[in-house]
Amino acid sequence: MAKPQVEPPEEAAVRQSVAKAEQSLYASVLAIRDRHELERLGIAFYDAETTLQWSYNADAMFHAASTMKLAVLLAVFRQHTRGELALEEPVHVRNKFLSIHDRKPYMLDINRDTEGEVFERLGRTMSVEQLAYHMITSSSNFATNLLVDVVGVPVIQTALDELKIEGIKVLRGVEDQAAFEAGLNNEVTANGLLKLLRLVEEGKAYGEEASARMREILLDQRFKSGIPAGLPQAARVAHKSGNISTVHHDAGIVYLEGRKPYVLVILTQFPSETGARTAVADVSRDIYECLAGMNGG
Amino acid sequence: MAEIESESGLKIVDAFDLDPELRALLRPGELVEGIRGQYHHLPRYFYEIPSREAAREIRVTPHFGLNEFLLVDLKEAARVRAFPRYVPCAIRIAAFYLERLREATGAPVHLAVNGGYRSPAHKLSVAATPHMWGTAADVYKIGTVVLRDRASIETYNRVIEDLTDDLYVMPYGHEIGKADDHIHVDLGYVTVVPREISEDRLEGPQDKPRFAFEERRRGDRRGWPREPLPEVLPAAAHAGSTRSESQK
C-alpha cells in the first residue's frame, strides 16, 4: 500500500494562508454587499505576485456603462497595430450619431464639464489618439462615440474574439436611448474585463508597444472614487470606471511599490433609490488588506 | 504634360493627366447618379495645391482661404488627403457666394470638417452630392453662433435665400436631405473650364482600353515612369482600385 504523500510544511502553510485569505475575503465581500444594499456584485481578481486568483459572481453579466470603453480602446490599437489606422489621423468632432435600433440620428446631451476639451473642438478635428485619451481619462462619451464610428462595432467584437476575451459584449456607442429602451445594451462580466486588463498588463494586447500605450492612457484616469479610493496614496492604478444611475464599476491594474501588479474588477448594481456609494472602494480596500496580510505586511 | 497656370498662380490640371491611383479616386468626367435618378459628369479640371502651407496662404476671396475647403478627416481617402492636393476649379465660385454670405451677416463663416470639397472616394460622398464638385459648403458656425438648432439654422437659411437665387439651402430636419447641425448650401453641379484650358483636347474617360499598349502610350504622353505592365489590363486594375476605395 502506497504511503500517503506528505505536503512540505512551507507549502502547507502557504495553502492554509491562501485558504484563510479567501474565506476572509468572501465573508468581507458579503458584508459589503449587505451593508451597501447591493442588488448584485461581481468581482474578479488576479495577483501577478502570488498568482492568487479569486472571484465572486464573476461570470454574471452587468450593464457595461463606461467600462465598454476598454473594448473600444483595444479595437483602436488593433487597427493601429495592423496599420489600418494611424493614431494621428484626424476625426471630425461632430455630435451626430445613428441609433443601432432604428438608424435614426441622435445627439449626445453634452456635459461641458466632463466633455471639456472634446466639446471645445466641436466642428473641428481631433486625432484618434487624442480621442482615445479623452475617452478613457475623462470618460468622454463624445470621444467614445466618435471612435466607435471610426473603428466600427464589428471590429470591436473582432478584437475581443481574436484575444479570446469572453464576457464583453459591445453592441453600440453610448447614450443611444432608442437602443437602451429596446434592451440593446453593452454588457460585461468581471472575468471578461479581468482577461482584457491582464492582456494589457502582460503586453499581449496587440503587442508590447500597444499594451504599453494603453497602460499609459489608463494610468492618467481622472476619476478616482473607485479602486484607487481603497488604496494607499502611493498606489498607481491604470483603470476605467463605469457609472450610470444603477451601476458603479471599476476595472484596473494596481501597481504597488516593490511587488508585481494585481488586476481587479469590481462590478456593482444597486437600486435606483439607493444611489452610488463606496462599495467599490470598500472591496478594493479589503483586497489590498488581504494581500498585505498575506505578504506579512 | 503642359503645365497650365491660372491667373491666381495655381497650377491647373486635367485630372486625366493624374496618376492612375488619383484618377481612380477623382473619377474625372465620370457620370454619377443623383438621389433622384439624374446623372451628372464629375469635374475634370482641378487646381493643384502643392503643400499645406500653400493651402493656408492662398486666399480665394478676402475672407476665405483655400484650406477651408480642404478640411477633411479620415473619411476622405488617404491619397486624396496627401499633398499635392486637388480641388475642382468651381471652388472659386462657391467661395464667391460664401464671401457674399459673410458680407450679409457681418460675421466669420466657418466651414465644417468634411464640409467643403469631398472626392468621390470620401465616405460621405453618397450619390451625386455637389460636395464632389466643390460647389457645396457645410457651415457649422457663423460668428459665435453654433448652428445646431432649428431657430439658428432657419434664420441663416432665410438670410441665404434672400441673398441669391443661385444657392440651394437644405431645410432643417433630421432626415436624409435635411440638416440639423449645420447649414448646407450649394450651387448644384457646376463644372468650370478655366480660360487657360483648350477644349480641343477631347480625351474622355477610358475605363476599358482595348489593348494594354493604349495605356502605355497614354503614360508615355504624360511622362509616367515606364514600368513592366501586369498581365491584367491596367484599366481593369483601376476599376478594381476604385471599388476597393469605395468599400473602405
Side-chain angles (χ1 to χ4, degrees):
Chain A
M1 198 170 117
K3 278 187 180 178
Q5 282 193 335
V6 181
E7 193 175 25
E10 306 82 32
E11 284 183 23
V14 169
R15 191 175 51 78
Q16 280 168 9
S17 161
V18 168
K20 197 175 157 193
E22 284 183 350
Q23 278 172 5
S24 156
L25 258 182
Y26 185 70
S28 140
V29 158
L30 291 183
I32 290 168
R33 191 193 63 184
D34 294 343
R35 191 165 71 246
H36 288 277
E37 299 173 35
L38 297 178
E39 281 180 346
R40 294 200 304 150
L41 173 65
I43 302 170
F45 160 77
Y46 172 77
D47 180 20
E49 177 77 15
T50 60
T51 69
L52 177 66
Q53 194 157 1
W54 187 82
S55 63
Y56 172 81
N57 205 22
D59 288 320
M61 281 284 188
F62 285 73
H63 188 296
S66 288
T67 59
M68 59 75 75
K69 293 168 187 173
L70 287 166
V72 182
L73 184 71
L74 189 72
V76 166
F77 278 90
R78 173 192 189 265
Q79 297 302 87
H80 173 59
T81 306
R82 292 165 61 92
E84 291 175 19
L85 181 65
L87 294 178
E88 62 274 12
E89 289 268 36
V91 180
H92 181 198
V93 180
R94 184 184 188 193
N95 185 10
K96 191 168 186 176
F97 306 98
L98 287 181
S99 168
I100 59 148
H101 176 54
D102 52 15
R103 305 305 296 163
K104 285 188 178 162
Y106 70 95
M107 294 169 101
L108 298 181
D109 183 13
I110 291 178
N111 178 338
R112 285 180 186 227
D113 295 333
T114 54
E115 293 295 347
E117 289 166 61
V118 186
F119 181 80
E120 290 301 316
R121 299 290 302 176
L122 191 66
R124 291 181 278 171
T125 59
M126 290 179 84
S127 71
V128 168
E129 188 163 31
Q130 285 173 322
L131 289 171
Y133 186 82
H134 288 289
M135 170 178 74
I136 296 298
T137 59
S138 57
S139 203
S140 165
N141 288 343
F142 200 175
T144 305
N145 278 14
L146 290 168
L147 287 176
V148 169
D149 273 1
V150 167
V151 296
V153 168
V155 167
I156 299 172
Q157 201 53 55
T158 300
L160 295 167
D161 294 344
E162 277 173 354
L163 299 179
K164 298 186 170 51
I165 299 169
E166 291 173 0
I168 299 180
K169 191 174 77 177
V170 176
L171 299 179
R172 59 172 172 88
V174 279
E175 292 187 39
D176 181 347
Q177 193 61 28
F180 177 75
E181 284 164 11
L184 300 169
N185 294 314
N186 301 321
E187 293 180 313
V188 291
T189 66
N191 269 340
L193 291 172
L194 184 88
K195 174 83 186 282
L196 190 157
L197 287 173
R198 273 191 70 176
L199 292 171
V200 170
E201 166 47 31
E202 291 162 7
K204 294 174 184 166
Y206 297 109
E208 184 49 59
E209 197 181 326
S211 300
R213 185 66 194 117
M214 283 190 261
R215 287 197 299 273
E216 281 172 25
I217 294 173
L218 289 163
L219 277 166
D220 276 353
Q221 178 58 249
R222 293 178 197 166
F223 299 115
K224 298 181 187 296
S225 68
I227 292 171
L231 299 173
Q233 285 275 326
R236 294 165 67 236
V237 189
H239 68 124
K240 182 70 203 81
S241 56
N243 292 288
I244 58 168
S245 56
T246 56
V247 304
H248 180 203
H249 309 320
D250 204 359
I253 309 162
V254 178
Y255 298 92
L256 294 161
E257 193 65 33
R259 77 189 304 286
K260 288 180 183 169
Y262 65 86
V263 183
L264 174 60
V265 180
I266 306 164
L267 309 178
T268 66
Q269 184 180 320
F270 41 81
S272 54
E273 63 274 14
T274 311
R277 292 189 187 169
T278 57
V280 173
D282 289 353
V283 172
S284 170
R285 184 177 302 106
D286 272 7
I287 286 176
Y288 167 75
E289 285 171 357
C290 168
L291 285 174
M294 284 175 66
N295 293 343
Chain B
M1 175 173 80
E3 288 208 357
I4 305 165
E5 205 172 83
S6 72
E7 287 172 351
S8 65
L10 275 174
K11 186 173 150 192
I12 296 166
V13 297
D14 177 343
F16 285 118
D17 287 332
L18 296 172
D19 64 68
E21 188 191 1
L22 260 174
R23 222 170 59 210
L25 295 168
L26 301 179
R27 295 159 51 189
E30 225 175 89
L31 270 175
V32 182
E33 188 178 0
I35 50 170
R36 290 180 199 87
Q38 76 283 32
Y39 284 84
H40 303 281
H41 285 284
L42 282 164
R44 170 172 172 174
Y45 300 107
F46 288 74
Y47 290 122
E48 182 178 278
I49 302 127
S51 64
R52 191 179 305 278
E53 293 68 35
R56 275 202 212 102
E57 283 165 14
I58 294 167
R59 314 300 299 174
V60 255
T61 68
H63 292 99
F64 287 93
L66 193 47
N67 61 331
E68 293 173 78
F69 296 88
L70 301 173
L71 288 170
V72 283
D73 72 355
L74 44 60
K75 293 186 188 76
E76 181 60 277
R79 177 71 173 82
V80 176
R81 278 188 278 145
F83 286 94
R85 289 181 63 176
Y86 300 90
V87 60
C89 294
I91 206 84
R92 298 177 76 121
I93 306 176
F96 168 81
Y97 280 98
L98 287 171
E99 185 68 26
R100 288 188 63 191
L101 174 61
R102 197 202 184 279
E103 286 163 8
T105 58
V109 172
H110 300 271
L111 266 61
V113 177
N114 300 319
Y117 171 61
R118 296 178 202 153
S119 82
H122 193 293
K123 285 182 183 168
L124 295 179
S125 287
V126 182
T129 166
H131 285 284
M132 289 150 73
W133 276 254
T135 55
D138 293 340
V139 176
Y140 82 97
K141 193 162 109 173
I142 295 180
T144 56
V145 180
V146 179
L147 304 160
R148 56 169 177 235
D149 56 65
R150 178 184 290 274
S152 60
I153 290 172
E154 289 187 344
T155 299
Y156 284 106
N157 275 357
R158 276 195 297 276
V159 171
I160 296 164
E161 282 165 346
D162 290 345
L163 194 65
T164 172
D165 291 333
D166 295 339
L167 289 174
Y168 166 78
V169 291
M170 214 175 246
Y172 175 85
H174 307 298
E175 303 84 18
I176 290 170
K178 296 181 179 178
D180 59 7
D181 66 349
H182 64 274
I183 283 174
H184 167 97
V185 294
D186 74 67
L187 287 154
Y189 306 96
V190 178
T191 51
V192 166
V193 180
R195 62 165 59 86
E196 296 86 350
I197 292 288
S198 168
E199 290 191 83
D200 60 348
R201 196 174 150 217
L202 292 174
E203 185 175 16
Q206 294 180 24
D207 285 341
K208 289 176 186 168
R210 287 166 300 169
F211 305 105
F213 71 82
E214 289 182 347
E215 184 70 5
R216 207 156 43 232
R217 282 183 187 166
R218 176 191 282 216
D220 286 346
R221 276 204 308 277
R222 293 162 187 171
W224 298 342
R226 286 291 290 269
E227 285 171 17
L229 287 166
E231 286 190 17
V232 210
L233 282 179
H238 297 168
S241 67
T242 310
R243 277 198 294 276
S244 66
E245 280 298 336
S246 63
Q247 283 166 6
K248 268 187 184 174

